[in-house]
Amino acid sequence: MDRISNVEWNYVKEVLNGQFSSISTYQMVTKLETKFAEKFHSKHAVAMVNGTATLHAALEAAEVGPGDEVICPPLTMSSTSIAVLQANAVPVFADVDRESFLITAESIKKVITQKTRAIITVSLYGLAPQMREIMEVARNNNLIVIEDNAECFGSYQNGQLVGTFGHMASYSFQSSKHLTAGEGGIVITNSDELADKLRRYSGLGYAGISGKKGRITKDDIQCPNYERHVILGWNYRMSDLCAAVALGQLERMEELIKVRRRAASYYQEEVEKCNWLYPQYVQKDNLHSYWTYAVMLDTEKVKWHEFRNKYLEFGGDGIYAAWKLSYQEPMFKNKSFLNREKLGLYDHYDYNAVHCINAEYLQPKLLQFKTNYYCEEKAKQQAKILNKTIAYFNKNRG
């Protein structure tokens, strides 16, 4: 199968045939939002330019503002915490579990303060943290929960679709994700109020738009007395071209996710035979969507670069490392926040003093194997190369 099929091509042609006229513009975005909301068991979906803009808009919709604290995991792409900075709020980092690699309710409890306003959970690699426990913590502390599901499409927990636990959930259509439009993102929510805010804050603060209405009318804009902007908003709107591709991908979602799960199953067969590679732990009540297949390497037995180099030597594709922990990035260590650091909002929080012990233990040991093999034979080949790599080190280090 191909990653991009005739379904996507036909939707793109439909947009181009419309010549970007005022009549046709935004129709494809509306179709995407309608179908995405239905597919993800939500009342509303609001499409945007990328999966960081979605998080920023969600924080603004939650009325997170200057000096508020937002709890995030450090073991993820730093876009999650960058969105917090965009809202002039303070990212506060809670530790992860060593077996699942995910943020936990217990770690969240430890960092809640009077300034805490929201929690952003991250479904890392396609697996959601224990959302019911986290939602209980949020309810007990009157906190908003935003699910960052950029890497998690079509996963379930306790029979419930991941993305329907929190107050809002953000998804990404960036090029590496399960569903892609090259770029783009979307937020789902069951709240009419939050949906209206999401739309307005991502649509230049226009008066005539709402959770269910993405554009203003000709009658509005052709009136000299029309007052467009009722509040500050950003231009985060998705284009019809991106929406066309994303819509096609959405219609093919099950087959695209199946590709990832299939590749992960081949890796899993090999890793189960090895006593120094530890896969991400998946509880029985979870369905993983495997944006990537991640394992922890026992670096006392095999060094990280040794393993990767040998895997490449045997013909394997590149193995990705886990991102540097967010608070270890120079931006956070030096508080280089585009002059936001001069506002005094971050004076009380020293990122150099943050230590999430489990995340620091895991980060240099994680191996991320690609799962986006649309040719099954290629996936099987990579698993065989993994088998050969494991056998090599068992023989030479045994």
Side-chain angles (χ1 to χ4, degrees):
M1 64 174 285
D2 292 326
R3 190 179 193 190
I4 301 298
S5 73
N6 286 335
V7 178
E8 292 89 341
W9 277 108
N10 288 335
Y11 280 135
V12 169
K13 290 174 185 176
E14 186 178 330
V15 172
L16 294 176
N17 287 337
Q19 301 288 314
F20 298 111
S21 68
S22 58
I23 295 174
S24 65
T25 298
Y26 219 73
Q27 287 185 5
M28 200 61 71
V29 174
T30 301
K31 288 180 182 179
L32 170 65
E33 291 175 341
T34 300
K35 290 192 176 183
F36 199 95
E38 180 182 344
K39 190 90 169 176
F40 283 77
H41 306 173
S42 293
K43 192 173 180 181
H44 302 277
V46 181
M48 301 185 201
V49 291
N50 58 57
T52 305
T54 51
L55 290 173
H56 178 205
L59 288 165
E60 298 284 7
E63 298 184 1
V64 170
D68 290 338
E69 293 181 352
V70 178
I71 297 172
C72 314
L75 183 59
T76 185
M77 176 68 177
S78 290
S79 295
T80 304
S81 47
I82 287 172
V84 179
L85 295 172
Q86 288 178 294
N88 293 322
V90 182
V92 171
F93 296 102
D95 208 353
V96 300
D97 175 69
R98 284 198 184 189
E99 294 185 335
S100 70
F101 317 155
L102 302 168
I103 193 171
T104 66
E106 288 304 312
S107 67
I108 289 169
K109 287 179 187 177
K110 293 177 183 178
V111 294
I112 291 174
T113 72
Q114 291 182 340
K115 294 182 178 182
T116 307
R117 175 65 183 162
I119 302 165
I120 301 180
T121 60
V122 175
S123 296
L124 194 68
Y125 304 136
L127 183 66
Q130 291 301 295
M131 291 304 302
R132 290 186 177 178
E133 290 87 342
I134 292 172
M135 291 306 298
E136 183 178 359
V137 172
R139 283 190 292 270
N140 292 340
N141 292 276
N142 195 30
L143 303 176
I144 291 286
V145 175
I146 301 166
E147 297 182 55
D148 182 352
N149 293 338
E151 300 172 4
C152 185
F153 287 79
S155 292
Y156 283 81
Q157 190 171 99
N158 300 114
Q160 184 174 342
L161 183 64
V162 174
T164 60
F165 289 91
H167 299 89
M168 291 171 277
S170 168
Y171 294 85
S172 171
F173 298 124
Q174 179 265 346
S175 59
S176 72
K177 301 305 188 290
H178 295 79
L179 312 184
T180 187
E183 266 298 354
I186 200 164
V187 185
I188 57 173
T189 183
N190 282 318
S191 165
D192 294 343
E193 180 183 0
L194 289 173
D196 287 348
K197 290 178 178 179
L198 283 164
R199 180 75 70 194
R200 195 156 285 158
Y201 299 161
S202 64
L204 295 168
Y206 278 176
I209 58 177
S210 66
K212 289 294 187 184
K213 183 182 177 185
R215 56 183 298 214
I216 56 179
T217 68
K218 269 191 175 182
D219 286 341
D220 291 331
I221 60 176
Q222 291 179 3
C223 174
N225 297 321
Y226 181 60
E227 295 176 337
R228 288 170 169 77
H229 309 284
V230 294
I231 194 169
L232 175 65
W234 289 266
N235 191 2
Y236 284 166
R237 296 169 297 185
M238 178 182 277
S239 74
D240 264 3
L241 280 172
C242 280
V245 181
L247 179 59
Q249 294 267 289
L250 180 65
E251 292 180 4
R252 301 173 58 227
M253 186 176 85
E254 283 73 20
E255 65 176 302
L256 291 168
I257 295 172
K258 183 180 178 180
V259 162
R260 309 260 182 169
R261 289 184 174 135
R262 182 179 65 196
S265 70
Y266 296 144
Y267 290 130
Q268 182 75 8
E269 288 178 18
E270 304 306 331
V271 168
E272 285 175 351
K273 306 169 189 174
C274 179
N275 63 4
W276 41 269
L277 288 175
Y278 303 92
Q280 185 178 24
Y281 175 67
V282 184
Q283 290 191 343
K284 291 181 180 179
D285 59 356
N286 283 265
L287 179 63
H288 202 311
S289 61
Y290 290 105
W291 175 68
T292 188
Y293 181 77
V295 301
M296 185 188 74
L297 171 68
D298 184 344
T299 52
E300 294 296 315
K301 294 183 178 179
V302 181
K303 300 302 180 186
W304 195 94
H305 282 94
E306 276 187 304
F307 185 93
R308 180 179 182 273
N309 291 343
K310 187 57 64 176
Y311 184 76
L312 290 173
E313 181 184 321
F314 288 152
D317 286 343
I319 299 173
Y320 291 85
W323 314 264
K324 198 76 173 174
L325 299 182
S326 295
Y327 61 78
Q328 293 178 338
E329 294 283 4
M331 174 186 66
F332 279 99
K333 292 168 71 174
N334 301 324
K335 292 184 179 176
S336 299
F337 300 155
L338 292 179
N339 290 321
R340 287 169 174 79
E341 66 274 12
K342 296 179 181 178
L343 301 175
L345 304 173
Y346 308 96
D347 291 351
H348 71 289
Y349 199 75
D350 181 5
Y351 291 101
N352 289 288
V354 176
H355 292 291
C356 294
I357 303 303
N358 291 339
E360 291 178 10
Y361 175 83
L362 287 168
Q363 188 272 334
K365 298 177 173 64
L366 292 181
L367 300 162
Q368 299 174 194
F369 293 89
K370 291 173 59 176
T371 56
N372 57 332
Y373 294 111
Y374 302 96
C375 170
E376 185 173 4
E377 288 307 310
K378 184 69 182 290
K380 289 180 178 179
Q381 179 189 30
Q382 293 300 305
K384 288 178 182 177
I385 293 168
L386 174 59
N387 173 285
K388 186 176 181 180
T389 307
I390 291 170
Y392 170 85
F393 285 109
N394 280 339
K395 179 180 179 181
N396 291 279
R397 301 296 168 90

